Amino acid sequence: MSTRISKWFRKLPAPRSLRKQLLAISLFILSGLLLLIGVLQYILMRDFIYSNRAESMEAQIRSVPREMFFNFFNSYDEDTTTPNEGTPSIVAIYRGTETA
């Protein structure tokens, strides 16, 4: 693959004027700097994005009322997986209307 690229670059005519040479060199330097900035930004921001998502998920979990978790875990019998009679369901608690 690298031989293909080097052959392709050899086919391109070399810039003969000093203006074109300076332009080509400055464009290569600029593209290298932009690539370096992009890689560094990705590396530095990757941890920030993950920690920010973790904090937002934690805030969402903490916003759920404790009674909902308590009723959810206590509404099932230890022998079966059906809800106990007389306990409100999770959806009813969340919507604010308790059902028997």
Side-chain angles (χ1 to χ4, degrees):
M1 173 107 174
S2 63
T3 57
R4 279 181 153 176
I5 294 173
S6 63
K7 285 181 182 178
W8 185 76
F9 275 121
R10 287 182 190 163
K11 287 181 183 181
L12 291 175
R16 296 179 188 230
S17 69
L18 182 60
R19 176 183 286 175
K20 288 182 181 178
Q21 288 177 357
L22 289 174
L23 177 65
I25 290 172
S26 64
L27 287 177
F28 281 128
I29 291 172
L30 183 64
S31 64
L33 284 174
L34 289 175
L35 183 66
L36 180 68
I37 289 170
V39 169
L40 286 175
Q41 183 179 9
Y42 171 75
I43 291 171
L44 295 174
M45 295 301 287
R46 179 179 50 191
D47 294 332
F48 175 74
I49 289 172
Y50 288 140
S51 66
N52 196 12
R53 282 186 185 171
E55 288 175 5
S56 68
M57 289 173 64
E58 184 178 350
Q60 286 178 350
I61 289 173
R62 288 180 187 233
S63 69
V64 176
R66 289 185 184 180
E67 294 84 18
M68 187 168 133
F69 283 120
F70 181 75
N71 289 335
F72 175 71
F73 289 120
N74 290 331
S75 66
Y76 289 97
D77 282 332
E78 294 164 4
D79 299 332
T80 63
T81 58
T82 59
N84 290 332
E85 291 297 321
T87 59
S89 67
I90 270 188
V91 176
I93 293 172
Y94 185 71
R95 290 184 182 162
T97 58
E98 293 189 15
T99 60

